[in-house]
């Protein structure tokens, strides 16, 4: 059945860009596209669940802010497989949101005399939205950071765990530093026997704003999850990172 989420003040991320300051509302519509398989002899109509689909409509304004909402959105709307993230309550650690790979949908440009120029954008996808949770949100990680543990849940044999890392800006500071990011699981909050589930590419002083996804198949019986950022080197670099975890079907 279709469902809808509407949020004002949500965090809106496209690839490695956070456009929360240039957007003012988000609508997410989800549909399972039921197919009619009724036969002539059937007493009642019969349907089967079809492929999932969704649309995400983002309300925003033309902006000259440093995030370059205009320029980036116009570039994004000419390409496919953009890493879209919506976190309705903002980027606070522990908050739940949605992650997906999306394609551009129909776009509308409207404005009235003496009014702000509206730049609303629409995204669409034909795979399940990933229900995600923020593990790490820190704009200036300068030393090894062990994230807070969250009971996100176990991963069934038919599922896979999904992780997405966003480096939202080039590292600050000076010198040479590496940042290695992993997502770990354990059966208890204390993480006395942590297991590394996802490992991401090393970031360093030469890195620019970027994003990366990693996945691993279940079953994973551990239900506690955290992100670990290991910083090494002699410099004073700081890393602006957002790390989320989620689950999705293996056949998606």
């Amino acid at each position: 059945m279709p469902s809808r989420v509407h949020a004002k003040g949500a965090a809106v991320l496209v690839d490695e860009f956070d456009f929360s300051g240039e957007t003012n509302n988000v609508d997410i519509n989800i549909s399972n596209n039921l197919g009619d398989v009724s036969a002539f002899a059937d007493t009642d109509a019969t349907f089967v669940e079809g492929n999932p689909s969704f649309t995400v409509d983002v309300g925003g304004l033309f902006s000259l802010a440093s995030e370059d909402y205009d320029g980036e959105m116009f570039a994004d709307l000419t390409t496919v497989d953009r890493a879209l993230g919506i976190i309705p309550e903002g980027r606070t650690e522990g908050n739940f949101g949605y992650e997906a790979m999306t394609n551009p949908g129909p776009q509308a440009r409207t404005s009235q005399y003496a009014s702000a120029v509206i730049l609303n954008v629409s995204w669409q996808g034909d795979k399940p939205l990933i229900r995600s949770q923020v593990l790490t949100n820190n704009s200036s990680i300068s030393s090894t950071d062990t994230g807070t543990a969250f009971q996100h849940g176990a991963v069934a044999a038919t599922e896979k765990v999904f992780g997405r890392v966003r480096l939202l800006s080039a590292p600050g500071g000076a010198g040479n530093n590496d940042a290695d990011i992993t997502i770990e699981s354990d059966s208890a909050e204390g993480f006395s026997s942590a297991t590394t589930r996802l490992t991401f590419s090393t970031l360093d002083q030469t890195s620019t704003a970027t994003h990366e996804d990693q996945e691993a198949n279940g079953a994973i019986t551990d239900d506690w999850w955290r992100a670990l950022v290991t910083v090494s080197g002699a410099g004073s670099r700081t890393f602006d990172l957002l790390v989320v975890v989620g689950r999705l079907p293996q056949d998606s």
Side-chain angles (χ1 to χ4, degrees), residues 109-160:
R109 303 285 176 263
T110 61
S111 61
Q112 298 181 4
Y113 177 73
S115 298
V117 180
I118 297 173
L119 177 53
N120 295 337
V121 296
S122 296
W123 305 95
Q124 60 188 3
D126 57 4
K127 295 182 180 180
L129 280 173
I130 301 168
R131 182 67 162 150
S132 61
Q133 188 172 23
V134 178
L135 296 183
T136 293
N137 175 44
N138 193 324
S139 63
S140 57
I141 296 178
S142 59
S143 59
T144 295
D145 179 83
T146 301
T148 302
F150 294 101
Q151 196 171 20
H152 188 74
V155 181
T158 57
E159 295 180 317
K160 51 188 173 183

Side-chain angles (χ1 to χ4, degrees), residues 81-208:
D81 290 333
R82 311 305 295 198
L84 181 67
I86 305 294
I87 310 173
E89 300 298 324
R91 285 169 42 188
T92 303
E93 292 177 1
N95 281 356
F96 289 92
Y98 304 91
E99 297 285 341
M101 299 305 292
T102 57
N103 300 322
Q107 310 300 325
R109 303 285 176 263
T110 61
S111 61
Q112 298 181 4
Y113 177 73
S115 298
V117 180
I118 297 173
L119 177 53
N120 295 337
V121 296
S122 296
W123 305 95
Q124 60 188 3
D126 57 4
K127 295 182 180 180
L129 280 173
I130 301 168
R131 182 67 162 150
S132 61
Q133 188 172 23
V134 178
L135 296 183
T136 293
N137 175 44
N138 193 324
S139 63
S140 57
I141 296 178
S142 59
S143 59
T144 295
D145 179 83
T146 301
T148 302
F150 294 101
Q151 196 171 20
H152 188 74
V155 181
T158 57
E159 295 180 317
K160 51 188 173 183
V161 62
F162 165 89
R164 178 169 283 168
V165 167
R166 287 183 170 94
L167 177 65
L168 296 170
S169 61
N176 298 332
N177 290 101
D178 289 344
D180 291 294
I181 305 159
T182 58
I183 292 179
E184 302 176 326
S185 70
D186 205 338
S187 58
E189 184 177 5
F191 272 74
S192 59
S193 56
T195 301
T196 298
R197 300 297 181 180
L198 302 175
T199 301
F200 298 86
S201 301
T202 299
L203 302 171
D204 61 22
Q205 68 281 350
T206 67
S207 298
T208 57

Side-chain angles (χ1 to χ4, degrees), residues 23-42:
T23 55
N24 51 38
N25 65 83
V26 178
D27 281 299
I28 302 174
N29 293 279
I30 305 166
S31 176
N32 284 337
N33 297 324
L34 297 181
D36 189 346
V37 294
S38 304
F40 287 114
D42 289 345

Side-chain angles (χ1 to χ4, degrees), residues 14 17-19 21-23 58-78 82 107 109 116-121 123:
V14 180
F17 302 96
D18 184 354
F19 292 122
E22 290 76 46
T23 55
V58 178
L61 303 173
F62 279 86
S63 170
L64 298 178
S66 59
E67 289 82 6
D68 189 22
Y69 179 76
D70 305 355
E72 184 60 28
M73 282 300 182
F74 279 120
D76 288 347
L77 295 175
T78 65
R82 311 305 295 198
Q107 310 300 325
R109 303 285 176 263
V117 180
I118 297 173
L119 177 53
N120 295 337
V121 296
W123 305 95

